[in-house]
Amino acid sequence: MGNDSKVKVFITGDDEGLKTAENFFDIYNKIFEAAYAKEVLGFENAYRRAQIEEMTHMLYFVDETNVILSSFADEMGGYTLEITVDDLKKVLS
C-alpha cells in the first residue's frame, strides 16, 4: 500500500453473486474508485488481483445473500469477514 488514502474497491464474485455484485458496483463507483470484474475465477484469485491492483477493499459476492469483505488498508495488515448483502445495504444507508 502506498500513502494514498483513497478508497479503492474491487468488486467481483461467484456466478451466483455476479448480478448483485454488478448492482453494488454501480453504487460504489459513484462514491469511491471502484473496479468490477466478472471474469475472476474464485475468491483466492480475486484476492490476489485486488492486492496487485492496490485496492483498499474487496467485495466478493458469493451469491445473492452472502458477501466476503476484505480490507487491505488496516494498520494490522487487513482482515476478511463474511457479511450479508443486507449488512452491506445498512452501511450504505
Side-chain angles (χ1 to χ4, degrees), residues 17-86:
L18 285 181
K19 183 168 179 50
T20 307
E22 190 171 327
N23 292 338
F24 273 89
F25 169 72
D26 291 339
I27 297 166
Y28 272 77
N29 199 33
K30 293 174 184 164
I31 305 169
F32 307 113
E33 184 176 328
Y36 171 67
K38 60 183 173 183
E39 76 282 354
V40 175
L41 303 173
F43 176 80
E44 293 299 324
N45 288 334
Y47 190 90
R48 282 193 295 277
R49 180 167 165 185
Q51 287 181 310
I52 289 167
E53 294 186 16
E54 298 185 345
M55 297 295 186
T56 58
H57 298 82
M58 180 179 75
L59 295 173
Y60 189 89
F61 290 80
V62 177
D63 53 34
E64 294 177 0
T65 305
N66 300 292
V67 182
I68 301 172
L69 165 65
S70 294
S71 174
F72 307 106
D74 186 81
E75 301 83 32
M76 301 298 288
Y79 59 85
T80 296
L81 55 99
E82 294 182 26
I83 61 173
T84 66
V85 169
D86 285 342

